[in-house]
Amino acid sequence: MSNLNQGNRQFAVIGLGRFGRAVCGSLHKMGYEVLGTDIDEKLVAQVLTDRIASHAVQLDSTEPTALKEAGIFEFDTVIIAIGNFLQESIITTLNVKEAGVAHVVAKASSEIHGKLLERVGADRVVFPEYEAGCALAHTLTKPAILDRFDLDPDNSIVEVLVPEEFHGKTIAELQLRNRYGLNILAVGEGEKFEINPLPNLKLHKGTAMVVIGSNKDLQRLPI
Ligand code: ATP
Protein backbone atom coordinates (compact mmCIF):
# COMPACT_ATOMS: atom_id res chain seq x y z
CA MET A 1 0.00 0.00 0.00
CA SER A 2 2.99 2.26 0.42
CA ASN A 3 3.09 2.70 -3.35
CA LEU A 4 -0.31 4.38 -3.64
CA ASN A 5 0.96 7.92 -4.18
CA GLN A 6 4.26 6.97 -5.70
CA GLY A 7 2.98 5.99 -9.10
CA ASN A 8 6.06 6.80 -11.15
CA ARG A 9 8.69 5.26 -8.95
CA GLN A 10 11.28 3.11 -10.62
CA PHE A 11 13.10 0.23 -8.99
CA ALA A 12 16.37 -1.56 -9.59
CA VAL A 13 16.97 -4.98 -8.09
CA ILE A 14 20.54 -6.21 -7.72
CA GLY A 15 20.79 -9.98 -7.30
CA LEU A 16 18.27 -12.26 -8.94
CA GLY A 17 18.10 -15.18 -6.50
CA ARG A 18 14.74 -16.32 -5.13
CA PHE A 19 14.25 -13.14 -3.12
CA GLY A 20 15.37 -10.73 -5.85
CA ARG A 21 13.19 -12.47 -8.41
CA ALA A 22 10.18 -12.29 -6.10
CA VAL A 23 10.73 -8.54 -5.58
CA CYS A 24 11.11 -7.99 -9.33
CA GLY A 25 8.09 -10.06 -10.24
CA SER A 26 5.80 -8.44 -7.69
CA LEU A 27 6.78 -4.88 -8.66
CA HIS A 28 6.48 -5.74 -12.33
CA LYS A 29 3.01 -7.24 -11.80
CA MET A 30 1.95 -4.03 -10.04
CA GLY A 31 2.96 -2.12 -13.16
CA TYR A 32 6.23 -0.57 -11.99
CA GLU A 33 9.33 -0.20 -14.11
CA VAL A 34 11.88 -2.66 -12.75
CA LEU A 35 15.46 -3.20 -13.79
CA GLY A 36 16.89 -6.54 -12.69
CA THR A 37 20.64 -7.15 -12.54
CA ASP A 38 22.89 -10.04 -11.64
CA ILE A 39 26.46 -11.10 -12.25
CA ASP A 40 25.12 -14.39 -13.61
CA GLU A 41 24.12 -14.02 -17.26
CA LYS A 42 21.74 -16.99 -17.11
CA LEU A 43 19.69 -15.44 -14.31
CA VAL A 44 19.52 -12.17 -16.24
CA ALA A 45 18.24 -13.96 -19.35
CA GLN A 46 15.79 -15.94 -17.22
CA VAL A 47 14.00 -12.88 -15.81
CA LEU A 48 13.49 -11.60 -19.34
CA THR A 49 12.19 -14.98 -20.53
CA ASP A 50 9.88 -15.17 -17.54
CA ARG A 51 8.86 -11.53 -18.05
CA ILE A 52 9.28 -10.55 -14.44
CA ALA A 53 11.26 -7.35 -15.10
CA SER A 54 10.97 -4.65 -17.74
CA HIS A 55 14.74 -4.56 -18.24
CA ALA A 56 17.63 -6.74 -17.16
CA VAL A 57 21.38 -6.24 -17.30
CA GLN A 58 24.34 -8.44 -16.44
CA LEU A 59 26.85 -6.63 -14.24
CA ASP A 60 29.16 -6.97 -11.27
CA SER A 61 27.64 -4.65 -8.68
CA THR A 62 30.91 -4.33 -6.77
CA GLU A 63 32.18 -2.18 -9.65
CA PRO A 64 30.90 1.39 -9.42
CA THR A 65 31.52 2.02 -13.14
CA ALA A 66 29.34 -0.95 -14.08
CA LEU A 67 26.54 0.38 -11.88
CA LYS A 68 26.90 3.84 -13.35
CA GLU A 69 26.88 2.58 -16.93
CA ALA A 70 23.71 0.60 -16.27
CA GLY A 71 22.05 3.75 -14.92
CA ILE A 72 21.53 2.27 -11.44
CA PHE A 73 22.33 5.59 -9.77
CA GLU A 74 19.37 7.26 -11.51
CA PHE A 75 16.89 5.05 -9.67
CA ASP A 76 15.33 6.41 -6.53
CA THR A 77 14.96 2.97 -5.01
CA VAL A 78 17.50 0.18 -5.28
CA ILE A 79 16.99 -3.23 -3.67
CA ILE A 80 20.15 -5.19 -2.93
CA ALA A 81 19.16 -8.83 -2.85
CA ILE A 82 22.50 -10.49 -2.26
CA GLY A 83 22.23 -12.58 0.89
CA ASN A 84 25.03 -15.10 0.78
CA PHE A 85 27.89 -12.99 -0.49
CA LEU A 86 28.62 -10.74 2.45
CA GLN A 87 31.45 -8.79 0.88
CA GLU A 88 29.58 -8.21 -2.39
CA SER A 89 26.45 -7.16 -0.54
CA ILE A 90 28.32 -4.62 1.62
CA ILE A 91 30.39 -3.19 -1.23
CA THR A 92 27.31 -2.88 -3.46
CA THR A 93 25.35 -1.09 -0.74
CA LEU A 94 28.24 1.28 -0.15
CA ASN A 95 28.60 1.97 -3.90
CA VAL A 96 24.93 2.72 -4.36
CA LYS A 97 24.66 4.93 -1.28
CA GLU A 98 27.85 6.82 -2.05
CA ALA A 99 26.48 7.58 -5.52
CA GLY A 100 23.51 9.27 -3.87
CA VAL A 101 20.62 6.84 -4.39
CA ALA A 102 17.89 8.02 -2.01
CA HIS A 103 16.33 4.72 -0.92
CA VAL A 104 18.41 1.62 -0.58
CA VAL A 105 16.84 -1.53 0.76
CA ALA A 106 19.23 -4.38 1.49
CA LYS A 107 18.64 -8.01 2.35
CA ALA A 108 20.58 -9.34 5.32
CA SER A 109 21.22 -12.98 6.04
CA SER A 110 22.30 -12.50 9.65
CA GLU A 111 22.15 -9.94 12.41
CA ILE A 112 25.76 -8.88 11.95
CA HIS A 113 25.21 -8.61 8.19
CA GLY A 114 22.27 -6.32 8.95
CA LYS A 115 24.38 -4.12 11.21
CA LEU A 116 27.08 -3.81 8.58
CA LEU A 117 24.51 -2.87 5.95
CA GLU A 118 23.19 -0.13 8.21
CA ARG A 119 26.74 1.12 8.83
CA VAL A 120 27.41 1.51 5.11
CA GLY A 121 24.20 3.46 4.67
CA ALA A 122 21.32 1.10 3.86
CA ASP A 123 18.07 2.97 4.52
CA ARG A 124 16.21 -0.22 5.27
CA VAL A 125 17.47 -3.68 6.05
CA VAL A 126 15.21 -6.68 5.63
CA PHE A 127 15.56 -10.18 7.05
CA PRO A 128 13.14 -12.12 4.83
CA GLU A 129 13.48 -15.54 6.44
CA TYR A 130 13.17 -14.11 9.94
CA GLU A 131 10.22 -11.87 8.98
CA ALA A 132 8.42 -14.68 7.14
CA GLY A 133 8.89 -16.91 10.18
CA CYS A 134 7.40 -14.31 12.51
CA ALA A 135 4.47 -13.67 10.16
CA LEU A 136 3.77 -17.39 9.93
CA ALA A 137 3.79 -17.70 13.72
CA HIS A 138 1.30 -14.81 13.88
CA THR A 139 -1.10 -16.38 11.43
CA LEU A 140 -0.79 -19.80 13.09
CA THR A 141 -1.68 -18.46 16.50
CA LYS A 142 -4.27 -15.95 15.29
CA PRO A 143 -6.14 -17.92 12.65
CA ALA A 144 -8.87 -15.27 12.61
CA ILE A 145 -6.45 -12.88 10.89
CA LEU A 146 -7.28 -13.28 7.22
CA ASP A 147 -4.79 -10.80 5.89
CA ARG A 148 -2.24 -8.42 7.26
CA PHE A 149 -0.38 -5.42 5.92
CA ASP A 150 2.51 -4.10 7.99
CA LEU A 151 2.66 -0.31 7.65
CA ASP A 152 5.86 -0.17 9.70
CA PRO A 153 7.28 -2.41 12.43
CA ASP A 154 4.70 -1.14 14.96
CA ASN A 155 1.50 -0.48 12.99
CA SER A 156 -0.61 -2.62 10.71
CA ILE A 157 -3.85 -2.96 8.82
CA VAL A 158 -5.46 -6.34 9.39
CA GLU A 159 -8.46 -8.11 8.00
CA VAL A 160 -10.05 -10.18 10.73
CA LEU A 161 -13.23 -12.12 11.29
CA VAL A 162 -15.72 -10.20 13.42
CA PRO A 163 -15.27 -11.68 16.91
CA GLU A 164 -18.14 -13.41 18.68
CA GLU A 165 -18.14 -10.63 21.30
CA PHE A 166 -18.84 -7.99 18.66
CA HIS A 167 -21.77 -9.85 17.10
CA GLY A 168 -24.93 -7.77 16.75
CA LYS A 169 -23.30 -4.62 18.10
CA THR A 170 -22.89 -1.38 16.20
CA ILE A 171 -19.49 0.23 15.66
CA ALA A 172 -20.58 3.09 17.93
CA GLU A 173 -21.55 0.68 20.73
CA LEU A 174 -18.22 -1.08 20.55
CA GLN A 175 -16.26 2.16 20.95
CA LEU A 176 -13.29 0.58 19.24
CA ARG A 177 -11.45 3.88 19.01
CA ASN A 178 -11.76 4.66 22.71
CA ARG A 179 -11.48 1.16 24.12
CA TYR A 180 -8.89 -0.34 21.77
CA GLY A 181 -7.34 2.61 19.89
CA LEU A 182 -8.44 1.01 16.63
CA ASN A 183 -10.32 2.26 13.59
CA ILE A 184 -12.51 0.16 11.31
CA LEU A 185 -11.75 0.96 7.68
CA ALA A 186 -14.16 -1.47 6.06
CA VAL A 187 -16.67 -4.16 6.88
CA GLY A 188 -17.39 -7.17 4.69
CA GLU A 189 -20.96 -7.36 3.49
CA GLY A 190 -21.37 -10.55 1.49
CA GLU A 191 -19.09 -10.43 -1.52
CA LYS A 192 -18.31 -6.73 -1.10
CA PHE A 193 -16.80 -4.47 1.50
CA GLU A 194 -18.45 -1.38 2.85
CA ILE A 195 -15.69 1.21 3.06
CA ASN A 196 -15.74 3.79 5.90
CA PRO A 197 -18.77 2.21 7.57
CA LEU A 198 -21.09 4.49 9.54
CA PRO A 199 -21.10 4.20 13.35
CA ASN A 200 -24.59 2.72 13.34
CA LEU A 201 -23.56 -0.27 11.21
CA LYS A 202 -24.10 -3.59 13.02
CA LEU A 203 -21.34 -6.18 12.90
CA HIS A 204 -22.03 -9.86 12.34
CA LYS A 205 -19.80 -12.75 13.38
CA GLY A 206 -18.35 -14.70 10.50
CA THR A 207 -18.05 -11.60 8.31
CA ALA A 208 -14.78 -9.73 7.90
CA MET A 209 -13.65 -6.31 9.06
CA VAL A 210 -10.54 -4.33 8.15
CA VAL A 211 -8.94 -2.57 11.09
CA ILE A 212 -6.01 -0.16 11.39
CA GLY A 213 -3.97 0.34 14.55
CA SER A 214 -0.80 -0.39 16.44
CA ASN A 215 0.22 -4.04 16.71
CA LYS A 216 -0.10 -3.77 20.47
CA ASP A 217 -3.70 -2.59 20.24
CA LEU A 218 -4.53 -5.10 17.51
CA GLN A 219 -3.31 -7.91 19.78
CA ARG A 220 -6.03 -6.94 22.24
CA LEU A 221 -8.85 -7.71 19.82
CA PRO A 222 -10.85 -10.64 21.23
CA ILE A 223 -10.30 -12.83 18.18
P1 ATP B 1 17.72 -16.38 -2.25
O1 ATP B 1 16.84 -15.21 -2.42
O2 ATP B 1 17.64 -17.35 -3.38
O3 ATP B 1 17.73 -16.97 -0.88
P2 ATP B 1 20.15 -15.15 -1.65
O4 ATP B 1 19.80 -13.79 -1.25
O5 ATP B 1 20.66 -16.10 -0.64
O6 ATP B 1 19.10 -15.81 -2.50
P3 ATP B 1 22.53 -15.13 -3.01
O7 ATP B 1 22.88 -16.51 -3.39
O8 ATP B 1 23.20 -14.49 -1.91
O9 ATP B 1 21.03 -15.08 -2.86
O10 ATP B 1 22.70 -14.16 -4.25
C1 ATP B 1 21.67 -13.55 -4.96
C2 ATP B 1 22.18 -13.24 -6.32
O11 ATP B 1 23.18 -12.21 -6.25
C3 ATP B 1 22.83 -14.41 -7.04
O12 ATP B 1 22.05 -14.72 -8.18
C4 ATP B 1 24.20 -13.91 -7.41
O13 ATP B 1 24.60 -14.28 -8.71
C5 ATP B 1 24.06 -12.40 -7.30
N1 ATP B 1 25.33 -11.75 -7.08
C6 ATP B 1 26.32 -12.12 -6.25
N2 ATP B 1 27.38 -11.29 -6.33
C7 ATP B 1 27.05 -10.35 -7.24
C8 ATP B 1 27.72 -9.21 -7.78
N3 ATP B 1 28.94 -8.88 -7.39
N4 ATP B 1 27.07 -8.48 -8.70
C9 ATP B 1 25.83 -8.82 -9.10
N5 ATP B 1 25.15 -9.87 -8.64
C10 ATP B 1 25.75 -10.63 -7.72
Side-chain angles (χ1 to χ4, degrees):
M1 259 172 254
S2 58
N3 59 26
L4 285 182
N5 51 7
Q6 298 162 2
N8 51 10
R9 281 178 70 183
Q10 293 183 329
F11 299 87
V13 177
I14 301 177
L16 297 169
R18 289 167 300 176
F19 178 74
R21 276 177 59 93
V23 175
C24 266
S26 301
L27 288 168
H28 189 61
K29 235 189 237 162
M30 287 187 268
Y32 287 97
E33 287 269 320
V34 191
L35 168 68
T37 73
D38 200 289
I39 198 166
D40 183 338
E41 226 166 83
K42 272 194 242 124
L43 293 176
V44 172
Q46 196 64 44
V47 293
L48 291 175
T49 312
D50 297 344
R51 299 187 188 205
I52 59 169
S54 6
H55 316 278
V57 184
Q58 186 273 335
L59 57 78
D60 180 350
S61 60
T62 60
E63 290 177 7
T65 43
L67 292 170
K68 188 166 192 282
E69 267 169 33
I72 303 288
F73 302 149
E74 320 302 321
F75 286 78
D76 61 283
T77 304
V78 175
I79 298 103
I80 297 163
I82 306 177
N84 287 317
F85 304 89
L86 191 72
Q87 183 172 325
E88 283 77 358
S89 153
I90 304 291
I91 295 173
T92 303
T93 306
L94 185 71
N95 286 342
V96 173
K97 263 333 271 186
E98 282 207 328
V101 172
H103 305 287
V104 175
V105 183
K107 171 187 165 164
S109 52
S110 68
E111 211 172 309
I112 189 76
H113 186 183
K115 278 189 185 154
L116 289 165
L117 289 168
E118 269 172 18
R119 283 288 174 102
V120 294
D123 300 284
R124 181 168 168 198
V125 176
V126 293
F127 302 82
E129 295 85 358
Y130 173 79
E131 285 157 17
C134 294
L136 176 65
H138 266 113
T139 57
L140 291 175
T141 54
K142 291 260 178 201
I145 294 186
L146 306 173
D147 208 350
R148 173 180 199 103
F149 180 84
D150 293 329
L151 293 168
D152 62 33
D154 302 316
N155 301 292
S156 308
I157 296 173
V158 296
E159 180 184 352
V160 294
L161 288 175
V162 169
E164 182 90 45
E165 259 183 71
F166 291 3
H167 179 67
K169 304 221 168 85
T170 66
I171 294 174
E173 282 165 352
L174 287 168
Q175 294 193 50
L176 279 186
R177 202 172 303 169
N178 291 337
R179 283 173 50 206
Y180 292 91
L182 301 174
N183 277 305
I184 296 191
L185 299 177
V187 173
E189 288 294 325
E191 292 286 281
K192 281 187 68 97
F193 272 91
E194 187 165 334
I195 308 298
N196 298 325
L198 292 172
N200 62 359
L201 187 86
K202 259 194 193 153
L203 299 179
H204 302 283
K205 71 173 177 193
T207 61
M209 60 183 192
V210 179
V211 184
I212 186 168
S214 72
N215 295 338
K216 242 194 222 145
D217 290 333
L218 288 165
Q219 281 286 340
R220 292 165 49 224
L221 275 175
I223 53 174

